[in-house]
């Protein structure tokens, strides 16, 4: 990989010493690091340390380089990645609100490079509504966060707020340089999460899907440049920034919400765990024990539309991907679904007994008319990228 320039902002936090190790990590990977320190950061680490490590001037003050009177702009432009690690609650608030009152906040506002923030602070400051709101704002603008670790904090509290380890920060940043942009100009439709099929206003039939797989797919496709519509059932995940999210409840809602984006898309991935059946009638009022025992005890179920099969019937040139979540005979069931649903390939995985649903990791097989490919257990994000690689191969 060619050498990149990382502008590393260091703020006034006890974890500032870890930034020295971080500089080393980037250098080991062959990159150049230029450090900007806030005035407060210099109370924790002497600028001479960074100067010696980076062999570059350490920038602190807006006016401390007479040779370059607008070096907040030149520093901002030099960055291939602009990283603030550790980032205090104060610096995060300034960046979120466009306050530019020192060199680091000014350069962060002026940069057009991807901005990455690794927060470090007391757990209560981290959890404070103001900090969480600021993070949400920044995320929605595409800022990437390297979440702090949980553990024993310098102040004596225990909880989330400890700066992530330098190797983890460096790996996450270096991975951004590798990020493919092979989906620019492509439109994706992705379904995610469970559906809810109402029995009455307070009861419904649903399943264990957390939506994590579909959301990870949406984020991966977005990061590779695609325009993504994510149609999701009820989940407790935050909407991914830069993705068009449509929230639905039932299988019928899902089908309706998918029709237009399907027409416009180049690829559709059906990761939703759709309820196959729904109650034939939804009661208008809450069914009562004793009074409505007959209705509660004998809920008549009727078929829901098969969203994937319905849309794939007119798939044209689109690449269509289905999932098969199975507790047993994974490959045989996946092959049956491939034939039944008209998808280009099926991502098969085992569920139940603590597997797949709600977990961070997944192990899958790609089942297509060409056979089966095994993708060993990896994070849902890595599996997402492997699925997208399979789709890219099929684009003409
Ligand atoms: N699917 C769908 N609409 C449905 C049911 C399933 O779009 N009504 C999609 C899912 O999103 C998934 C694929 O079809 O991509 C397979 O889903 P799954 O629930 O595993 O299969 P079913 O068709 O429900 O088959 P079975 O109940 O036999 O497992």
């Amino acid at each position: 990989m060619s050498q990149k320039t990382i502008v590393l902002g260091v703020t006034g936090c006890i974890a500032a010493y870890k930034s020295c190790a971080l500089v080393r990590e980037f250098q080991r990977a062959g990159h150049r690091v230029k450090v900007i320190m806030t005035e407060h950061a210099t109370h924790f680490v002497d600028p001479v340390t960074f100067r010696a490590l980076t062999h570059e001037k350490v920038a602190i003050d807006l006016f401390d380089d007479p040779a370059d009177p607008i070096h907040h702009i030149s520093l901002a432009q030099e960055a291939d990645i602009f990283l603030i690690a550790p980032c205090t609650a104060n610096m995060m608030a300034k960046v979120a609100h466009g306050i530019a009152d020192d060199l680091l906040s000014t350069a962060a506002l002026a940069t057009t490079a991807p901005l990455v923030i690794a927060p470090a602070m007391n757990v209560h400051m981290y959890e404070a509504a103001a900090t969480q709101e600021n993070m949400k704002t920044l995320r929605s603008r595409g800022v990437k966060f390297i979440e702090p670790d949980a553990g024993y904090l310098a102040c004596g509290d225990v909880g989330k707020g400890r700066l992530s380890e330098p190797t983890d920060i460096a790996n996450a940043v270096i991975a951004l340089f590798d990020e493919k942009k092979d989906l620019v100009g492509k439109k994706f439709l992705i379904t995610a999460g469970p559906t809810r099929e109402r029995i009455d206003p307070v009861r419904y039939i649903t399943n264990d899907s957390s939506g994590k797989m579909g959301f990870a797919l949406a984020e991966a496709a977005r990061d590779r440049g695609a325009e993504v519509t994510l149609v999701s059932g009820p989940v407790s995940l935050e909407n991914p920034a830069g993705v068009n999210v449509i929230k639905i409840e039932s299988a019928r809602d899902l089908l309706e919400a998918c029709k237009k984006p399907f027409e416009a898309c180049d690829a559709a991935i059906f990761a939703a765990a759709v309820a196959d059946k729904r109650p034939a009638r939804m009661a208008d009022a809450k069914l009562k024990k004793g009074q409505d025992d007959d209705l509660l005890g004998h809920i008549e179920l009727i078929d829901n539309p098969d969203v994937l099969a319905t849309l794939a019937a007119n798939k044209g040139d689109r690449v269509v991907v289905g999932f098969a979540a199975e507790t047993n005979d994974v490959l045989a069931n996946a092959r049956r679904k491939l034939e039944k649903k008209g998808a280009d390939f099926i991502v098969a995985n085992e569920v139940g007994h603590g597997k797949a649903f709600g977990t961070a990791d997944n192990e899958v097989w790609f089942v297509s008319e060409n056979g089966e490919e095994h993708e060993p257990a990896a994070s849902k994000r890595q599996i997402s990228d492997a699925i997208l690689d399979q789709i890219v191969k099929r684009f003409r």
Side-chain angles (χ1 to χ4, degrees):
M1 193 199 298
S2 61
Q3 190 190 54
K4 305 280 186 190
T5 299
I6 295 133
V7 170
L8 171 62
V10 182
T11 65
C13 164
I14 187 74
Y17 74 93
K18 288 192 183 174
S19 307
C20 303
L22 188 52
V23 169
R24 275 278 181 252
E25 292 287 339
F26 288 130
Q27 289 173 330
R28 253 195 290 275
H31 302 301
R32 172 180 175 230
V33 186
K34 290 201 77 166
V35 174
I36 305 178
M37 299 178 80
T38 61
E39 166 46 36
H40 285 166
T42 64
H43 292 278
F44 293 91
V45 179
D46 196 298
V48 170
T49 309
F50 285 117
R51 164 122 212 186
L53 286 170
T54 62
H55 310 291
E56 304 262 1
K57 270 191 209 156
V58 175
I60 301 164
D61 192 78
L62 267 167
F63 308 104
D64 64 5
D65 190 348
D68 183 3
I70 48 169
H71 72 312
H72 57 287
I73 303 295
S74 48
L75 279 164
Q77 284 170 348
E78 263 182 286
D80 291 304
I81 293 259
F82 199 107
L83 166 68
I84 309 180
C87 186
T88 56
N90 180 50
M91 181 55 68
M92 206 143 65
K94 289 205 276 188
V95 178
H97 295 278
I99 295 169
D101 64 351
D102 62 5
L103 180 60
L104 180 55
S105 55
T106 310
L109 187 61
T111 193
T112 52
L115 182 58
V116 182
I117 290 181
M121 64 197 74
N122 165 273
V123 57
H124 302 302
M125 290 173 78
Y126 182 72
E127 285 172 356
T131 304
Q132 291 299 317
E133 276 295 314
N134 289 334
M135 287 178 71
K136 205 167 154 193
T137 305
L138 290 166
R139 271 203 188 95
S140 73
R141 294 186 197 140
V143 174
K144 297 222 182 289
F145 278 88
I146 299 165
E147 301 269 334
D149 293 336
Y152 182 75
L153 305 174
C155 52
D157 277 343
V158 176
K160 199 167 175 178
R162 206 171 60 185
L163 183 71
S164 184
E165 287 307 312
T167 41
D168 295 334
I169 299 175
N171 287 342
V173 169
I174 290 165
L176 292 177
F177 292 132
D178 283 338
E179 221 166 57
K180 294 182 200 154
K181 286 287 174 199
D182 53 355
L183 297 178
V184 174
K186 297 289 185 197
K187 292 196 173 83
F188 272 66
L189 164 66
I190 298 169
T191 72
T195 63
R196 275 183 189 168
E197 311 297 334
R198 293 252 161 223
I199 298 166
D200 68 16
V202 296
R203 299 183 180 90
Y204 50 78
I205 299 170
T206 191
N207 58 63
D208 276 339
S209 170
S210 65
K212 282 182 186 161
M213 189 69 236
F215 276 56
L217 275 160
E219 287 172 357
R222 172 204 63 195
D223 290 346
R224 287 166 70 159
E227 199 180 301
V228 183
T229 299
L230 174 66
V231 186
S232 171
V235 293
S236 55
L237 302 171
E238 225 174 82
N239 289 350
V243 168
N244 173 30
V245 182
I246 303 173
K247 286 297 191 80
I248 53 89
E249 260 219 358
S250 69
R252 285 177 299 168
D253 298 343
L254 180 66
L255 178 59
E256 278 315 304
C258 284
K259 279 181 181 166
K260 267 211 174 130
F262 184 79
E263 257 177 46
C265 79
D266 300 286
I269 311 175
F270 294 89
V274 187
D276 293 314
K277 307 256 181 197
R278 68 174 183 275
R281 279 165 300 280
M282 179 192 151
D284 293 334
K286 185 180 168 190
L287 297 175
K288 291 296 216 185
K289 203 167 36 188
Q291 215 171 296
D292 301 308
D293 279 350
D294 203 35
L295 285 170
L296 273 172
H298 306 92
I299 298 167
E300 188 194 341
L301 297 176
I302 57 170
D303 282 343
N304 261 332
D306 189 312
V307 182
L308 163 52
T310 308
L311 296 173
N314 298 309
K315 83 185 251 320
D317 285 342
R318 296 170 192 85
V319 179
V320 171
V321 183
F323 272 75
E326 309 292 342
T327 55
N328 54 289
D329 300 329
V330 179
L331 293 179
N333 279 319
R335 195 148 287 289
R336 255 195 302 280
K337 278 175 195 172
L338 179 72
E339 279 150 29
K340 200 172 76 182
K341 308 235 175 190
D344 289 276
F345 66 94
I346 295 280
V347 183
N349 63 332
E350 205 178 330
V351 293
H353 320 295
K355 286 197 171 163
F357 275 165
T359 61
D361 279 14
N362 215 350
E363 173 191 17
V364 301
W365 288 261
F366 301 127
V367 180
S368 72
E369 55 180 25
N370 306 327
E372 286 132 25
E373 265 181 64
H374 179 233
E375 194 63 37
S379 71
K380 286 186 177 173
R381 177 56 190 249
Q382 286 164 323
I383 295 286
S384 298
D385 275 311
I387 293 170
L388 295 177
D389 290 343
Q390 292 283 335
I391 293 174
V392 169
K393 277 202 267 177
R394 287 166 169 86
F395 280 144
R396 316 182 176 172

